Amino acid sequence: MVSPTARRGAVAEARKEFGLSERRACRLVGQNRSVQRYQSRKKEIPGLETALVHKARERPRFGYKRLTTMLRFDGFFVNHKRIYRIYTRLGLAVRRKGRKRASQAPRMARPASRAINDCWSMDFLSDSLTDGRAMRVFAAVDNFSRRCVALEFDVALPASRVTRILDQAIESYGKPRAIITDNGPEFTSIAFDIWCHRNGIEHHFIRPGKPIENAYAESFNGRLRDELLNQQCFESLGHARELGEDWRDDYNHVRPHSALGGLSPERYLAELPGGHGPPAAPRITNSLIPSTPRRRPDRPIPQLQMG
């Protein structure tokens, strides 16, 4: 019994079972009588508990801090500690998987992005449809604003397809100064190298086996898998693209980010001095992306012309 509430219950139990006076029961339990008689004067907020349960069921992978931010958006101006008490009492805590201990070796720090489109981070994920077919997911995120600039689902995403997706993202959000990727075959291909050279974009690779050097993409991948891929069953590619675009729109416009002071990326950019300029990206549908023919074996490989 370490809390006043637990000791208060022990005093009541002792008086009921053994007929002790309040003074003697408090002395035996170690409870101050003023604490025993204390009546809470907290004002109950109508609808708070119901709203919290609704938000937690709507977004089951959100913790109490992010739920507090979203409740404040709805007009509940309460302290996060009150939300935490209700959150734990109702058993709404998010189950966490144990993580392996990471290496404590020193790492080389990259300069932080100080402006929009200063650097984009991108990566691939894997998932499957309900019929068992494998599916790949390509995601690109702006390091400064945390805005997801591209999210595409398909059974195959070669380098030529990735460059077309990025061209559409550039038309909507502007061209990045640099990009960071891992050493996957799509990013090390000649087609992707030519695209970077043609657009004047710096391409930085992480060291093999060091995904932490692509931390923005890895963090986004974790949110994407936790809040979408692990929560939904995709019946077809069209179904996956529709749910993915809805989640991307929610991620950019509604979902609060702790790194942005509890704001969504679009709201954060809108509150910057002078605004953020480019409007939100239109939905990228499969009809906008032509099919990618396979390259014939006898077709020559294009050579990179260095100017």
Side-chain angles (χ1 to χ4, degrees), residues 158-208:
S160 55
R161 174 73 177 281
V162 171
T163 56
R164 288 199 297 272
I165 296 172
L166 291 176
D167 284 335
Q168 293 182 353
I170 289 174
E171 290 179 3
S172 302
Y173 298 110
K175 184 173 67 175
R177 182 188 61 82
I179 59 176
I180 298 179
T181 68
D182 57 16
N183 297 271
E186 298 85 1
F187 300 130
T188 57
S189 65
I190 295 177
F192 197 82
D193 193 16
I194 294 175
W195 180 84
C196 291
H197 176 72
R198 184 180 299 139
N199 288 276
I201 299 176
E202 299 178 11
H203 188 187
H204 299 288
F205 292 97
I206 66 173
R207 290 177 293 173

Side-chain angles (χ1 to χ4, degrees), residues 9 37 50-51 62 71 92 105 121 175 183 198 253 260 269:
R37 295 182 177 184
T50 303
F62 277 16
L71 287 173
L92 302 176
S121 297
K175 184 173 67 175
N183 297 271
R198 184 180 299 139
H253 292 85
L260 304 180
L269 292 174

Side-chain angles (χ1 to χ4, degrees), residues 102-247:
S103 172
Q104 300 299 319
R107 306 182 186 279
M108 297 180 62
R110 291 182 179 272
S113 298
R114 300 186 179 277
I116 187 173
N117 292 334
D118 188 25
C119 184
W120 288 2
S121 297
M122 52 193 68
D123 200 4
F124 286 92
L125 296 90
S126 298
D127 204 73
S128 61
L129 303 176
T130 54
D131 58 6
R133 286 186 297 164
M135 177 179 63
R136 301 203 73 195
V137 185
F138 170 73
V141 61
D142 178 58
N143 293 1
F144 175 75
S145 65
R146 308 300 199 275
R147 179 169 60 184
C148 177
V149 297
L151 185 63
E152 182 59 28
F153 298 74
D154 211 330
V155 293
L157 290 168
S160 55
R161 174 73 177 281
V162 171
T163 56
R164 288 199 297 272
I165 296 172
L166 291 176
D167 284 335
Q168 293 182 353
I170 289 174
E171 290 179 3
S172 302
Y173 298 110
K175 184 173 67 175
R177 182 188 61 82
I179 59 176
I180 298 179
T181 68
D182 57 16
N183 297 271
E186 298 85 1
F187 300 130
T188 57
S189 65
I190 295 177
F192 197 82
D193 193 16
I194 294 175
W195 180 84
C196 291
H197 176 72
R198 184 180 299 139
N199 288 276
I201 299 176
E202 299 178 11
H203 188 187
H204 299 288
F205 292 97
I206 66 173
R207 290 177 293 173
K210 302 292 183 180
I212 191 63
E213 295 181 1
N214 198 14
Y216 290 100
E218 295 295 336
S219 176
F220 177 83
N221 291 350
R223 305 296 182 270
L224 175 62
R225 185 169 295 281
D226 195 30
E227 299 174 13
L228 177 65
L229 301 184
N230 290 349
Q231 298 293 321
Q232 301 290 342
C233 292
F234 305 111
E235 300 176 357
S236 64
L237 287 175
H239 185 221
R241 293 190 183 107
E242 182 179 357
L243 292 179
E245 190 61 26
D246 291 341
W247 184 86

